[in-house]
Amino acid sequence: MLVTGMPTETDAVIHSPLNVNPFDVVMKDSPNPGPYFDSQTPLNVTAQQGKTAYLHCQVRHLGNKTVSWVRHRDLHILTVGRYTYITDQRFQAYHLADTDDWTLQVRYAQPRDAGIYECQVSTEPKMSLLIMLNVVVPKSTIQFGPELHVKTGSTITLQCVITESPEPPVFIFWYHENQVLNYNPPRRTILVESINSDTTVSKLLITNAQLSDSGNFTCSPSNANPTSVIVHVLNGEKPAAMQHGKLAAGSDCCSSDAVVYLVASLAYVAWIICDFVL
C-alpha cells in the first residue's frame, strides 16, 4: 500500500477553509469522474474538551484509491485507509463499508489537538481537503461574585453561567460549605435552562435568607471547573455603611489625638522659649 505524503506545488489541493469555492477544482460532471470531495463536507469542526471529535471526509467515486489523514502542524500521517499510523490511541480511522465517508476519530479531545487536518486521496496529482478542528474548554462563572451581601429575610439569587459548552453539562451540583444542596422547595429552588447552543445557566434561589445561609457557595458543572461565591447574610446595616461608620469613627479618633498632640507640642515649645529668654 502506498502512503502518500504532503501535496506538492503540482498537486491538486482543495484548501478548505481558505478558498471561497474549494470544490471547484473537481470535474464532477465529466463522463467518467474520478474521486472528488462531497461539497457538503463540514470544513470546520468544534469539539468540547474531553469529548470525541469526528472529522468527516466524504469522497465520491473513490474506486481503488486510498484515503489518508495527515496532521498539519507536524506533517504526521495519522491514518491510511482503515489503518492507524500513530501511537496515540486516541486517533482512529473509521469507515463503514459501501459508504463514501472516511472519518478521523479523536477521542478525549484536548486543546493541543486543535488545528488543521488534511484528508488526502492518492490520486495523481494528489487531492487534499483541509478541515479545521476547534477544541473549546467550557467555563463557569457565578454572577455578582466573588462576594454577595444580602439582608436577612430577602431572597438569595445565585446564577451560574456555563459557556463555551457545545454539549450541555450532564449535571450541575451546588454546594454550601462543601455540603451538596438538594432541591428543597419552597425555600430552596434550583433551576437549569439552556440559553443557546453553547450556554447553560443554573439558578439557585433561597428565600427568607437566614444568618445560617452565609458562607461559601460553589457551582460545580460536570464539564467545567467549579466556581464559588461568598454570601454574607446581614442583620442590620449595609456593609458599606458599616465600613463607613468604622472608618468615620476611626478618623474622628485619629483627628482628636492629633489635636491633643499638636497642642502639647506647642506648649512644650513655648516653655522652652520662655525658659531660654529668662
Side-chain angles (χ1 to χ4, degrees):
M1 178 181 296
L2 175 64
V3 178
T4 58
M6 296 297 295
T8 64
E9 293 181 357
T10 59
D11 294 335
V13 180
I14 296 181
H15 291 287
S16 56
L18 303 180
N19 291 354
V20 176
N21 296 307
F23 304 95
D24 288 347
V25 300
V26 181
M27 301 300 294
K28 294 180 287 186
D29 298 328
S30 59
N32 298 301
Y36 66 89
F37 295 112
D38 190 313
S39 61
Q40 300 302 312
T41 301
L43 304 181
N44 283 279
V45 177
T46 299
Q48 184 173 297
Q49 177 181 244
K51 299 295 184 178
T52 301
Y54 297 96
L55 280 64
H56 297 276
C57 183
Q58 297 180 352
V59 185
R60 307 300 187 194
H61 299 290
L62 181 62
N64 61 352
K65 304 303 181 182
T66 304
V67 175
S68 304
W69 281 98
V70 178
R71 186 169 56 196
H72 246 224
R73 64 178 169 84
D74 57 3
L75 306 183
H76 199 301
I77 297 175
L78 304 175
T79 66
V80 177
R82 297 183 181 181
Y83 298 95
T84 303
Y85 289 86
I86 186 172
T87 57
D88 190 340
Q89 298 181 356
R90 298 179 305 121
F91 292 87
Q92 184 177 1
Y94 186 74
H95 174 70
L96 288 178
D98 301 324
T99 68
D100 297 323
D101 192 18
W102 296 82
T103 302
L104 177 65
Q105 176 181 279
V106 185
R107 294 184 298 169
Y108 309 110
Q110 299 299 316
R112 67 177 184 273
D113 298 321
I116 296 177
Y117 291 79
E118 178 180 347
C119 175
Q120 188 180 98
V121 179
S122 60
T123 55
E124 286 297 336
K126 292 183 287 292
M127 295 168 47
S128 296
L129 182 67
L130 306 183
I131 298 178
M132 182 69 187
L133 172 62
N134 307 285
V135 179
V136 296
V137 181
K139 298 178 178 61
S140 64
T141 57
I142 296 180
Q143 294 186 339
F144 310 117
E147 295 193 37
L148 179 66
H149 299 82
V150 298
K151 291 183 178 180
T152 54
S154 62
T155 298
I156 301 173
T157 303
L158 301 180
Q159 184 165 284
C160 180
V161 182
I162 299 94
T163 57
E164 299 185 45
S165 177
E167 297 182 27
V170 178
F171 58 82
I172 303 174
F173 288 151
W174 282 94
Y175 294 86
H176 180 216
E177 299 293 354
N178 298 321
Q179 296 294 321
V180 65
L181 296 178
N182 297 318
Y183 180 76
N184 184 23
R187 206 170 83 82
R188 185 189 304 145
T189 304
I190 299 176
L191 305 173
V192 178
E193 60 179 330
S194 295
I195 302 302
N196 52 47
S197 60
D198 65 352
T199 302
T200 301
V201 174
S202 176
K203 293 182 180 179
L204 173 62
L205 304 176
I206 301 177
T207 60
N208 191 24
Q210 305 298 314
L211 295 178
S212 59
D213 294 321
S214 297
N216 183 289
F217 285 83
T218 299
C219 169
S220 182
S222 63
N223 60 349
N225 290 330
T227 183
S228 300
V229 64
I230 303 294
V231 174
H232 302 276
V233 180
L234 305 173
N235 188 11
E237 295 182 85
K238 294 182 180 179
M242 293 174 62
Q243 293 174 5
H244 177 73
K246 292 180 180 179
L247 290 174
S251 299
D252 292 342
C253 176
C254 294
S255 299
S256 300
D257 290 344
V259 171
V260 171
Y261 177 78
L262 179 61
V263 171
S265 298
L266 292 175
Y268 177 75
V269 171
W271 178 79
I272 293 295
I273 294 174
C274 291
D275 185 66
F276 177 78
V277 171
L278 296 175

